[in-house]
Amino acid sequence: MDRRRFMTAAAAAATVPGVRAASEGRILLPTDTPDELGFRIMWYNPGRPIDKSTYRLEVDGLVEKPQRFDLGRLRSYPRVEQSTRLKCVQCWSARTTWGGFRFDELLEDVKPLTKAKSVRIDCADKWYEYMSLDEMAEPGVMLCLEMAGQPLTDQHGAPLRLLAPSKYGYKSAKLVTKITFVEKGGGSMACDIGPYYSPSGDILPGYDHPLDLGPNLRKKIPGGEIVAY
């Protein structure tokens, strides 16, 4: 859903807990052809799907109680659902219903230290993002386990991804494997790729092509989360 530089598949077979061995399963490849929901699929590193049975979300850094969460634990949090349009910096978007939980559920369990002001989010494809705790608390920001009424698919970043509606898709990190609480945030992997990426990822005024509504539509947007359609 976000622009990610294509690198070799071999480089993606990193030793991330829960990532399948090279002989098991397919490689997740990018495509510019929209899927049935109108989303394009992009990756920083094409790689193997994450094995849900061994997946653990590692949460550490400036916290009192660093922990590793399996999917059962994450699914036990109070479920929220919302219809949100995800906007790509490449000038397209698509809307669907997302399901998951709010970030503050994790805060209750790991208990961040008072000097923790941001988080670094690391992903199985070696992508990373920084978000401030204030940004993670914004309305609509959630950690997603579901999409369109079904469990999140491998192509869309299963088993866990971030959703930040007011920011371009590259901030909505996929294949999330680790969240580290830090005193000071930073940019992101995106800022190393091209000048059209900003550290904040805020959606700017301009134009949008909603691929879920048709192949040739063009709509003017005021900036921020797209709520008009």
Side-chain angles (χ1 to χ4, degrees), residues 79-82 97-101 142-148:
R79 181 180 178 275
V80 293
E81 183 178 281
Q82 65 192 49
T97 300
W98 307 87
F101 60 94
M142 64 186 296
L143 289 161
C144 298
L145 297 164
E146 304 167 12
M147 181 181 183

Side-chain angles (χ1 to χ4, degrees), residues 171-215:
K171 297 295 289 187
S172 292
K174 301 183 288 189
L175 298 169
V176 175
T177 57
K178 185 175 182 179
I179 298 176
T180 307
F181 285 77
V182 295
E183 187 170 358
K184 184 178 180 181
S188 70
M189 180 67 76
C191 300
D192 298 331
I193 293 176
Y196 35 74
Y197 295 98
S198 68
S200 71
D202 293 332
I203 297 173
L204 301 177
Y207 290 90
D208 176 51
H209 297 266
L211 298 181
D212 58 319
L213 301 182

Side-chain angles (χ1 to χ4, degrees), residues 4 22 28 35 40 140 144 179 201 215:
R4 296 194 172 197
L28 300 173
D35 66 9
R40 292 176 179 169
C144 298
I179 298 176

Side-chain angles (χ1 to χ4, degrees), residues 47-204:
R48 306 287 173 182
I50 289 178
D51 185 343
K52 285 76 172 175
S53 67
T54 60
Y55 173 80
R56 299 292 184 274
L57 172 66
E58 185 177 356
V59 183
D60 63 10
L62 299 176
V63 297
E64 292 181 15
K65 298 181 177 180
Q67 297 184 51
R68 301 178 78 229
F69 299 83
D70 62 18
L71 278 176
R73 179 90 174 276
L74 297 179
R75 289 172 179 149
S76 73
Y77 288 135
R79 181 180 178 275
V80 293
E81 183 178 281
Q82 65 192 49
S83 174
T84 298
R85 180 165 295 278
L86 188 63
K87 166 69 172 169
C88 182
V89 74
Q90 291 179 316
C91 206
W92 63 269
S93 73
R95 176 180 290 275
T96 193
T97 300
W98 307 87
F101 60 94
R102 301 296 183 201
F103 183 65
D104 60 2
E105 302 294 342
L106 285 180
L107 299 183
E108 290 293 323
D109 279 339
V110 301
K111 301 188 182 308
L113 303 180
T114 55
K115 61 182 178 180
K117 303 300 181 185
S118 298
V119 291
R120 172 175 164 134
I121 301 170
D122 284 280
C123 307
D125 65 347
K126 299 302 182 181
W127 191 263
Y128 66 84
E129 291 293 341
Y130 282 93
M131 296 278 283
S132 71
L133 297 187
D134 287 339
E135 289 174 320
M136 294 295 287
E138 289 178 359
V141 172
M142 64 186 296
L143 289 161
C144 298
L145 297 164
E146 304 167 12
M147 181 181 183
Q150 301 293 327
L152 198 64
T153 62
D154 293 333
Q155 290 81 2
H156 288 288
L160 183 70
R161 69 168 298 157
L162 178 68
L163 178 68
S166 67
K167 299 179 183 297
Y168 291 117
Y170 63 86
K171 297 295 289 187
S172 292
K174 301 183 288 189
L175 298 169
V176 175
T177 57
K178 185 175 182 179
I179 298 176
T180 307
F181 285 77
V182 295
E183 187 170 358
K184 184 178 180 181
S188 70
M189 180 67 76
C191 300
D192 298 331
I193 293 176
Y196 35 74
Y197 295 98
S198 68
S200 71
D202 293 332
I203 297 173
L204 301 177

